[in-house]
Amino acid sequence: MANCKKVSRLISDAQDRPLKPGEWLLVKTHLPICSNCRNYRNQIAVLQEATRQLRDGEALSMNDDLS
Amino acid sequence: MPTALQDPYAPDGSRLTDATTWHADADYLNKLRRDLLRFAQLQLRDTAAAEDAVQEALAAAWAGEQTFAGQSQHKTWVFGILRHKLIDTLRRKQRTINLSALGDEVEGEEILDSLLFDESGHWAQHSKPQPWPKPETALQQKQFWRLFEACLDNLPEQTGRVFMMREFLGLETGDICDELTVSANHCSVLLYRARLKLRTCLSEKGYGEEDCDGKL
């Protein structure tokens, strides 16, 4: 059975390797019924895009002085 | 190894279309140097080593400016050069990595699980992920960047290093595991912990609590 602990790990793993079909199924069936894990997934997406921008020198904080 | 010289990201608004004049623009050079240094410091956590890497990257950019074809923003191109320098520096440092310390860090963080999840594996009451703004909104917020950088600094050293190698230097997980001589599973646990810690840290510092439309 999928639970949030397992699904949150798989969502992280999916950024580093392709998930196996069984793993995808766990994630796909869990997300529609769990707003916490949907929020987590969006948070991970924000972190991923933030690291990409930092990496390429595009981040806001790199261009503007923080006050 | 990422091919930094053919960076796929080519945003508009490139400030310098003529690459041969960049080092004569003191204002541009100062800002570029400051941004490079900040990035290098986040990766290396060592000011002297960060300054060396930035110096080498700027020298390489100067020497190799003919190879800047202008298909990407100049700054992005120099950041690509810096990434290669940082990978070299980290590889040298890694030979001295304390592998038993790496193990301890993972063991010690089993506690994290029991704080974030209840016995049945669901999010614990206090740790339920709250809605955040969409990436395109969040990344326009200075508050987000301030907290994000502070939280990156808060990562435990070894966990932080694996995360940086993966996310900022673009190394494949397999390569990172090989270099650290740890199992693939161990590596992915470290990356998972790093992401969990970052999101938890941002939430604990109050990110996402007030206004999810990004009007902070």
Side-chain angles (χ1 to χ4, degrees):
Chain A
M1 262 308 281
N3 61 36
C4 303
K5 191 171 161 183
K6 195 179 279 179
V7 167
S8 65
R9 166 76 187 272
L10 288 174
I11 288 172
S12 169
D13 284 3
Q15 299 203 16
D16 307 314
R17 65 171 176 87
L19 294 186
K20 297 174 193 138
E23 294 172 331
W24 263 124
L25 194 63
L26 281 183
V27 175
K28 289 279 181 194
T29 53
H30 181 80
L31 284 180
I33 57 169
C34 180
S35 63
N36 294 324
C37 284
R38 287 200 301 276
N39 287 338
Y40 165 85
R41 182 188 53 176
N42 180 53
Q43 293 179 355
I44 294 297
V46 170
L47 295 178
Q48 184 182 36
E49 182 58 16
T51 54
R52 197 210 41 89
Q53 289 196 7
L54 262 183
R55 189 174 71 202
D56 292 318
E58 294 169 14
L60 181 68
S61 62
M62 294 291 185
N63 299 318
D64 299 304
D65 290 320
L66 297 176
S67 49
Chain B
M1 184 78 76
T3 50
L5 300 185
Q6 264 124 53
D7 205 298
Y9 308 110
D12 297 333
S14 171
R15 174 172 172 177
L16 295 164
T17 47
D18 181 4
T20 57
T21 59
W22 67 275
H23 39 71
D25 185 339
D27 185 44
Y28 175 74
L29 195 57
N30 281 340
K31 281 188 179 141
L32 178 65
R33 197 173 184 290
R34 184 196 63 190
D35 290 353
L36 291 168
L37 199 56
R38 191 173 189 168
F39 182 70
Q41 258 165 340
L42 271 175
Q43 310 298 311
L44 300 178
R45 300 184 182 197
D46 176 341
T47 307
E51 277 175 0
D52 286 351
V54 168
Q55 211 49 51
E56 283 178 34
L58 283 172
W62 197 321
E65 65 191 12
Q66 296 86 349
T67 62
F68 173 64
Q71 82 274 40
S72 65
Q73 199 173 11
H74 183 262
K75 186 174 172 185
T76 305
W77 179 70
V78 182
F79 263 75
I81 297 173
L82 176 63
R83 281 208 303 279
H84 286 288
K85 300 288 172 197
L86 293 175
I87 289 170
D88 290 344
T89 307
L90 280 175
R91 288 205 161 124
R92 281 198 300 274
K93 275 177 87 170
Q94 245 150 247
R95 298 195 189 112
T96 62
I97 198 170
N98 184 338
L99 289 175
S100 65
L102 194 63
D104 289 347
E105 226 168 72
V106 172
E107 296 294 313
E109 289 174 17
E110 294 298 325
I111 300 163
L112 183 69
D113 279 351
S114 59
L115 289 174
L116 294 181
F117 299 100
D118 65 21
E119 284 155 19
S120 60
H122 295 100
W123 296 97
Q125 193 59 39
H126 66 276
S127 68
K128 287 182 177 169
Q130 301 301 308
W132 282 6
K134 298 252 171 249
E136 56 271 28
T137 309
L139 303 186
Q140 292 302 315
Q141 298 168 338
K142 286 187 179 183
Q143 183 213 19
F144 171 82
W145 287 106
R146 194 168 54 240
L147 297 178
F148 183 58
E149 289 189 25
C151 290
L152 280 173
D153 272 338
N154 272 348
L155 288 177
E157 188 174 356
Q158 314 294 6
T159 307
R161 186 173 299 171
V162 173
F163 182 75
M164 301 292 184
M165 288 167 75
R166 171 74 190 119
E167 298 282 7
F168 289 124
L169 303 178
L171 299 177
E172 290 300 324
T173 316
D175 296 337
I176 300 171
C177 306
D178 287 349
E179 292 200 17
L180 298 176
T181 59
V182 296
S183 71
N185 182 57
H186 195 133
C187 253
S188 86
V189 171
L190 285 170
L191 288 168
Y192 172 53
R193 300 255 184 256
R195 292 174 182 131
L196 268 184
K197 276 175 173 288
L198 281 174
R199 68 146 292 275
T200 305
C201 172
L202 275 151
S203 297
E204 280 173 354
K205 288 180 186 292
Y207 186 69
E209 263 176 8
E210 293 165 41
D211 184 347
C212 291
D213 298 327
K215 295 184 187 111
L216 290 167

